[in-house]
Amino acid sequence: MSGETTVRRAAHAAPSDWGRLNSRLLLVNLAILVAPVAMFLATYLVAGKTNLQILITLGSLFLTFLVISGIGLMRLMTTRYRVGEDMVELQSGLLFRSRRSIPLDRIRSVDLTANPLHRLFGLTTLTIGTGEQSSSAGQRLSLDGISAADAAELRRQLIERRDAGRGLGAAAEDDGPISELDWSWLRYGPLSVWGVGGVFIAAASVYRTLHELKVDPLEWGVVKDLEHRFGSVPLWYGVLVALAVVVVLGIAGSTGAFIESWSGYRLEREDGGMFRVRRGLFVTRSVSIEQRRLRGVELVEPIPLRWAKAARLNAVASGLGNLEDNRRRRALTPPVPRAEARRVATEVLGEHPALTVRDGLLGHPRAALRRRVNQALIWSVLIAAVPFGLGVWLGPAWVTVGCVTGAVLVPVLVAFAVDAYRTLGHGIRGRYLVTSAGTFAHRTVALEREGIIGWKITRTPFQRRAGLLTLGATTAAGEGVYKVRDVSTGQGIALAEDAVPQLLLPFLERAPRSARRG
């Protein structure tokens, strides 16, 4: 049965059988109209004046939000839902009626999300997904605007009826919390590499919005005052101060993002073989992952976290939706101490996998090191060549800049290349194939061997010259392919055969007898 099915018997059902969205959703829709009014007041207070362009832009924005509120009101009036014996059904629409259903035995996730407006009025959004890779709306049902209590009860009913249909038993003895937020982890919040980038993105967005409103921030009184006070300082000093301000704002933004995303964090094992991750301060999130669909874990250590001996842990699981949904829902932990991440991995997988090269993973050939060092040298030359080439037209000063740039980049990039080589590793640990790689972010994946459905072997011309290949384990979970990079041909073939016997063997060709003798 498809994920979207016409419900013929729904038309004959009693009205009392169907649930409705909460009436407080009307207040949420009306509250949306506050945004353009607040933007008008903020613009007037900052700029100290208004003009026709500002009024037209904000008026158009108000009309857009009014249409959005009207659509939300229409959804409130027409949406109905119910949980039957074998499926959950949803109908909505006034001019164009939509009737959809998902069989209970195909439900893979029941997630709860509440933004600040929803939380203000005690509402939440319940999303039911089948976990298929397609992003089609037919693969999920969303109830946007039911009370938090009704959402919790509906989630419980859906999981219980689904598990009853599968014949699953009662709760296991080890149900309960696996990990909870420790506020000492807040020290890892500023170590996100996206904090500084977020400052530039926010500044560019604000400037573009003001430009559309015909407002020049350089003409503001506060900007003129700063220019008058500090306009005579040396350029290098101004650059250093600007960088310091950006870094401070980036650290503050990263810390704030950590608090918002991970407040109330709790990873727990629930009835019916489910893992549930709950987190969020302003926007609360509750993500469910079926244990039987878990195919492994991924330990991620970006450079700042690695220096602090911390890491993040992601689930490698099927049933999390398409690639975008998977990346949004796969997180099992925030940035935590590496020991805590490894402990959670052991709890989730039921055994202790090797998650670092120090656990005895096999190293890769020295040819892989030479390949990375060569790449580092090539990039150093290419980057340094830009100012060096400009020196031909702009003067010898740029030639000096190019030489200095190359002299600095060579040892730095070679150091990164050596570190990337040391990260390379692979091995088989019990039920799992473990692979480790990465330069700026070390990624170690423990992938269940039973979840491997094929192998993808790639060899660039440079790899063929060095006798190397990249072995990709394909799976229906997570990213879809997890690669063992730059192993020797013999290592790669042996690893594939040991991990999943007979899967690769039919595609191998024996070398001619004369070639073997040579």
Side-chain angles (χ1 to χ4, degrees), residues 368-390:
L369 173 60
R370 291 193 296 271
R371 187 163 183 263
R372 278 155 178 75
V373 171
N374 290 338
Q375 290 174 345
L377 295 175
I378 291 173
W379 278 109
S380 300
V381 171
L382 290 177
I383 296 174
V386 175
F388 192 88
L390 290 175

Side-chain angles (χ1 to χ4, degrees), residues 191-234:
L191 301 181
S192 171
V193 295
W194 300 108
V196 173
V199 174
F200 289 105
I201 294 174
S205 300
V206 171
Y207 182 83
R208 182 174 180 179
T209 301
L210 294 174
H211 178 73
E212 293 294 331
L213 296 175
K214 304 300 182 183
V215 175
D216 186 1
L218 298 179
E219 298 297 328
W220 291 351
V222 62
V223 176
K224 289 290 187 181
D225 183 60
L226 290 175
E227 183 180 1
H228 176 72
R229 290 174 180 271
F230 304 104
S232 60
V233 300

Side-chain angles (χ1 to χ4, degrees), residues 35 40 87 128 145 200 208 219 284 322 352 443 458 497:
F40 172 77
M87 66 178 60
I128 306 166
F200 289 105
R208 182 174 180 179
E219 298 297 328
T284 60
N322 57 33
H352 178 68
R443 297 178 180 272
T458 56
E497 182 62 21

Side-chain angles (χ1 to χ4, degrees), residues 288-370:
S288 302
I289 302 174
E290 286 188 283
Q291 185 171 359
R292 69 189 187 94
R293 291 182 172 271
L294 187 70
R295 293 292 178 260
V297 294
E298 178 186 43
L299 189 76
V300 184
E301 302 172 87
I303 286 179
L305 290 182
R306 189 162 72 246
W307 290 343
K309 298 182 179 180
R312 302 192 309 267
L313 190 70
N314 297 327
V316 178
S318 58
L320 295 183
N322 57 33
L323 189 60
E324 180 181 351
D325 290 336
N326 173 77
R327 290 176 177 174
R328 179 170 48 86
R329 301 171 59 207
R330 65 186 178 181
L332 291 176
T333 71
V336 298
R338 187 184 295 127
E340 172 67 10
R342 290 163 60 86
R343 183 194 68 81
V344 173
T346 302
E347 290 279 342
V348 168
L349 298 180
E351 62 181 79
H352 178 68
L355 289 178
T356 69
V357 294
R358 293 182 297 274
D359 288 323
L361 298 181
L362 297 178
H364 289 208
R366 300 287 292 182
L369 173 60
R370 291 193 296 271

